[in-house]
């Protein structure tokens, strides 16, 4: 019974020593102590019987785990072998865990952010001054409006055809002074101007009996202006028949039927509709004697008839296709009101 108690006490002490013993680092294996090698030198006060016994020391301070050579098969040696196997298993598992390659997480490299800086414009020492566009109102404030003359129409034709036509073709488009009527000096009303340029109007009105034609053709910039001119010529026209030749609220087929069935002396309208009627042979200009351009009148934006690009183009096309040829033949006279 004493021997069993002694061995159980020695086993408890061995477990406590193993817990207090420092563990080796992973990857390093402590070589096991060789069997039969002498341990550290015993103390001087130790008896020879204790050394020869091969067992535990009498006190806790003595190195009881050291054994003498040839003392195998004892319970202490079996305990030491179990402890060594456990330590070997631990080091083996550590080595296996170290042998596996560690998976490194890819770190996202910080991307550089470049801020776009505005380009520095080289400021010139002398800034170019922007030219202000001249307005019609500014021009009219500086100088009073001038009445239109035949030279203005000639210059307009040469500027329009100068880039695309040869010199010979431009010469053919020029008109002599005999092709023009006296220009308005901005003192006449429309009725007084017509009486001045057409003193024999009553005779011409009686002799006119052809359909699809008019004796006098008046061109203006808009339908509203056409209505104003028709009202202002009441003192001149008398019992003459006047036809409206503009596109507002009137279809071209209605105008074609009116010209075909009836007889009219004066036609007032816009260049676009008159040009369309001439191209469709609904209006014949062979019996026309006078053609009046509403040259000097200005709209709310202070634009004249030839200042509007669309009206200017349509008027020049009409002059080129039919009017200029009739003027050169002497059958038509041009007037600028």
């Amino acid at each position: 019974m004493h021997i069993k108690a002694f061995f159980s006490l020695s086993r408890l002490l061995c477990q406590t020593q193993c817990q207090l013993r420092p563990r080796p680092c992973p990857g390093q294996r402590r070589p096991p102590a060789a069997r039969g090698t002498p341990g550290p030198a015993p103390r001087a006060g130790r008896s020879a019987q204790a050394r020869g016994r091969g067992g535990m020391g009498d006190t806790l301070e003595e190195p009881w785990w050291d054994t003498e050579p040839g003392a195998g098969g004892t319970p202490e040696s079996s305990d030491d072998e179990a402890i060594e196997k456990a330590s070997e298993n631990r080091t083996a598992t550590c080595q296996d865990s170290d042998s596996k390659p560690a998976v490194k997480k890819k770190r996202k490299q910080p991307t550089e952010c470049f801020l776009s800086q505005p380009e520095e414009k080289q400021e010139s020492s002398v800034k170019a001054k922007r030219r202000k566009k001249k307005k019609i109102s500014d021009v009219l404030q500086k100088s009073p409006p001038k009445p239109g003359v035949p030279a203005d129409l000639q210059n307009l034709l040469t500027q329009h055809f100068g880039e695309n036509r040869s010199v010979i073709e431009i010469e053919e488009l020029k008109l002599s002074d005999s092709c023009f009527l006296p220009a308005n000096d901005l003192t006449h009303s429309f009725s007084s101007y017509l009486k001045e340029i057409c003193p024999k109007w009553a005779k011409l009105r009686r002799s006119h009996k052809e359909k699809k034609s008019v004796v006098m053709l008046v061109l203006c910039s808009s339908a509203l202006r056409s209505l104003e001119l028709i009202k202002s010529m009441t003192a001149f026209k008398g019992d003459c028949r006047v036809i409206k030749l503009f596109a507002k609220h009137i279809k071209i087929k209605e105008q074609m039927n009116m010209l075909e069935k009836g007889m009219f002396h004066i036609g007032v309208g816009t260049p676009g509709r008159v040009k369309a009627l001439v191209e469709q042979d609904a209006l014949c200009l062979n019996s026309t004697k006078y053609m009046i351009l509403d040259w000097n009148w200005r709209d709310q934006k202070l634009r004249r008839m030839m200042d509007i690009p669309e009206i200017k183009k349509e008027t020049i096309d009409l002059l080129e296709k039919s009017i200029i040829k009739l003027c050169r033949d002497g059958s038509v006279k041009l007037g600028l009101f």
Side-chain angles (χ1 to χ4, degrees):
M1 294 296 290
H2 294 288
I3 296 170
K4 290 182 180 179
F6 177 78
F7 279 114
S8 61
L9 182 61
S10 65
R11 190 173 296 172
L12 289 173
L13 289 173
C14 181
Q15 291 178 359
T16 54
Q17 289 292 333
C18 289
Q19 291 177 0
L20 294 175
R21 188 183 301 171
R23 295 181 181 178
C25 295
Q28 294 180 359
R29 183 176 180 182
R30 191 180 70 178
R35 293 291 179 177
T37 56
R43 287 188 179 183
R46 187 178 180 183
S47 61
Q49 294 178 357
R51 286 196 304 270
R53 215 180 273 168
M56 297 290 291
D58 294 335
T59 62
L60 293 175
E61 294 178 358
E62 295 178 358
W64 51 270
W65 56 84
D66 291 338
T67 55
E68 293 181 359
T74 59
E76 298 97 80
S77 62
S78 63
D79 293 337
D80 291 341
E81 290 177 358
I83 293 167
E84 288 177 1
K85 287 181 180 180
S87 63
E88 288 177 0
N89 292 333
R90 288 176 185 174
T91 54
T93 53
C94 291
Q95 288 179 357
D96 293 339
S97 62
D98 294 339
S99 62
K100 293 181 181 180
V103 179
K104 295 182 179 179
K105 294 183 179 179
K106 294 183 179 180
R107 295 182 180 178
K108 293 183 179 180
Q109 295 180 355
T111 56
E112 296 182 358
C113 182
F114 297 97
L115 297 176
S116 59
Q117 297 180 354
E119 297 180 356
E120 296 181 357
K121 296 182 179 179
Q122 295 179 355
E123 296 182 356
S124 57
S125 58
V126 180
K127 293 183 178 179
K129 294 182 179 180
R130 293 182 179 179
R131 293 182 180 179
K132 294 183 179 180
K133 293 183 179 180
K134 291 183 179 180
K135 296 181 180 180
I136 299 174
S137 58
D138 298 337
V139 176
L140 293 177
Q141 287 178 358
K142 294 180 181 179
S143 61
K146 295 180 181 179
V149 293
D152 296 336
L153 181 59
Q154 295 284 2
N155 294 332
L156 183 68
L157 292 173
T158 53
Q159 289 177 2
H160 184 77
F161 295 110
E163 297 179 357
N164 301 325
R165 303 294 177 89
S166 62
V167 179
I168 299 172
E169 290 175 344
I170 293 174
E171 288 292 332
E172 292 177 354
L173 295 173
K174 287 184 178 181
L175 299 173
S176 61
D177 294 337
S178 61
C179 298
F180 291 93
L181 295 168
N184 182 20
D185 56 357
L186 303 180
T187 58
H188 291 281
S189 64
F190 193 50
S191 294
S192 64
Y193 177 72
L194 293 178
K195 288 179 181 179
E196 182 182 353
I197 63 174
C198 301
K200 299 180 180 181
W201 175 249
K203 185 178 180 180
L204 291 172
R205 177 175 59 82
R206 292 191 195 103
S207 62
H208 178 69
K209 294 180 180 180
E210 297 180 6
K211 295 180 179 180
K212 293 186 178 182
S213 64
V214 292
V215 179
M216 182 181 292
L217 184 62
V218 182
L219 298 179
C220 50
S221 59
S222 63
L224 294 175
R225 179 59 179 168
S226 301
L227 295 174
E228 290 179 4
L229 292 177
I230 291 171
K231 291 179 181 179
S232 63
M233 67 168 63
T234 53
F236 171 77
K237 68 178 182 179
D239 57 351
C240 296
R241 297 190 66 185
V242 181
I243 185 171
K244 302 171 184 177
L245 301 177
F246 50 81
K248 191 173 184 179
H249 304 302
I250 303 174
K251 295 181 180 180
I252 191 170
K253 290 184 179 180
E254 296 178 4
Q255 294 170 345
M256 292 171 67
N257 293 332
M258 292 171 65
L259 288 169
E260 187 176 357
K261 295 177 181 179
M263 184 180 62
F264 297 92
H265 302 92
I266 301 173
V268 184
T270 55
R273 179 51 62 90
V274 173
K275 176 187 171 184
L277 291 169
V278 171
E279 289 176 351
Q280 296 183 17
D281 295 332
L283 179 63
C284 183
L285 300 177
N286 292 330
S287 60
T288 303
K289 302 299 179 181
Y290 301 100
M291 182 174 179
I292 311 300
L293 298 177
D294 190 21
W295 189 273
N296 298 310
W297 182 80
R298 296 178 184 272
D299 59 3
Q300 294 180 352
K301 297 181 180 179
L302 301 177
R303 297 179 300 177
R304 295 180 300 178
M305 177 181 177
M306 293 300 176
D307 294 332
I308 303 171
E310 295 177 357
I311 303 298
K312 174 183 174 182
K313 183 179 181 301
E314 291 170 350
T315 304
I316 292 175
D317 291 343
L318 183 61
L319 291 172
E320 181 190 5
K321 289 181 179 180
S322 54
I323 302 299
I324 291 177
K325 184 179 179 181
L326 295 173
C327 290
R328 293 174 73 91
D329 295 339
S331 60
V332 178
K333 299 286 185 178
L334 279 174
L336 305 178
F337 174 68

